[in-house]
Amino acid sequence: MKILFVCTGNICRSPLAEGILRKKLQLLHVAAEVDSAGFEAFHAGDHPDSRAIATGKKYDIDITTHTARLFNTLDFQNFDLIYIMDDSHYNRIKQFARNKADMEKVDYVMNLVHPGQNYNVEDPWYGDINGFEEVFKKLDKACGILSEKIALK
Ligand code: 4NP
């Protein structure tokens, strides 16, 4: 199973989701590929935001080695499941999708917790560290459900 998380800059939300899911799968002894990407190039090649790193570290999740990269069309081929964070990402990824099968791989990450509600994981970039804590808690819930689903496959 190959899972990709996508957000705007690939320095806050999606690297945290990647780190959280990777750790949960390790604990369950499940082999899977987990990656993350973003839609904007502002931070491509950068390591995650220091607030995202600090929040991960608090929960023993190390995301320091991640480097931000852009989402590209090949990701539809390379991944089985693609999770986006908010409405802007849904609109962006639709423009990359080549067919219906591509879009069938895509869902809002919070639909794992609240199916069909399309709840957003808000961009924490402009806020303070508390916003990152909120993001972490949401992603932790979603990744908990996802890791169990993958383990049962
Ligand atoms: P992310 O957060 O999409 O969760 O990585 C952002 C990071 C940077 C920017 C926007 C969102 N930015 O505009 O630079």
Side-chain angles (χ1 to χ4, degrees):
M1 185 63 68
K2 296 180 182 180
I3 303 102
L4 180 70
F5 294 100
V6 193
C7 63
T8 307
N10 192 213
I11 56 166
C12 301
R13 290 165 290 181
S14 62
L16 272 174
E18 177 189 341
I20 293 167
L21 182 66
R22 188 169 284 146
K23 177 152 188 199
K24 288 186 187 298
L25 292 172
Q26 273 169 3
L27 291 172
L28 293 168
H29 304 289
V30 175
E33 192 177 307
V34 189
D35 195 8
S36 63
F39 288 116
E40 298 294 349
F42 312 132
H43 297 280
D46 290 356
H47 292 299
D49 183 279
S50 60
R51 297 163 296 176
I53 289 175
T55 305
K57 193 173 176 190
K58 189 174 156 190
Y59 297 96
D60 204 24
I61 288 166
D62 181 6
I63 61 168
T64 53
T65 58
H66 178 75
T67 51
R69 72 163 176 94
L70 281 172
F71 179 84
N72 67 82
T73 309
L74 273 182
D75 287 320
F76 285 118
Q77 261 150 263
N78 294 337
F79 292 91
D80 303 301
L81 299 170
I82 300 173
Y83 288 104
I84 48 103
M85 303 288 151
D86 67 32
D87 299 324
S88 76
H89 307 144
Y90 193 81
N91 294 329
R92 284 295 282 279
I93 208 163
K94 264 201 302 203
Q95 293 163 10
F96 282 90
R98 300 154 303 178
N99 51 45
K100 217 173 140 216
D102 282 351
M103 277 314 280
E104 280 167 0
K105 296 185 171 187
V106 177
D107 202 2
Y108 288 72
V109 70
M110 290 316 291
N111 280 349
L112 287 156
V113 185
H114 308 282
Q117 298 298 305
N118 298 349
Y119 288 145
N120 286 203
V121 179
E122 307 287 352
D123 181 353
W125 173 252
Y126 296 101
D128 61 17
I129 190 83
N130 296 319
F132 284 76
E133 185 75 23
E134 283 307 304
V135 163
F136 186 95
K137 283 184 186 142
K138 287 180 183 172
L139 293 175
D140 190 58
K141 248 188 199 173
C143 289
I145 293 167
L146 181 56
S147 64
E148 282 168 19
K149 276 192 182 186
I150 295 168
L152 289 173
K153 283 214 165 128

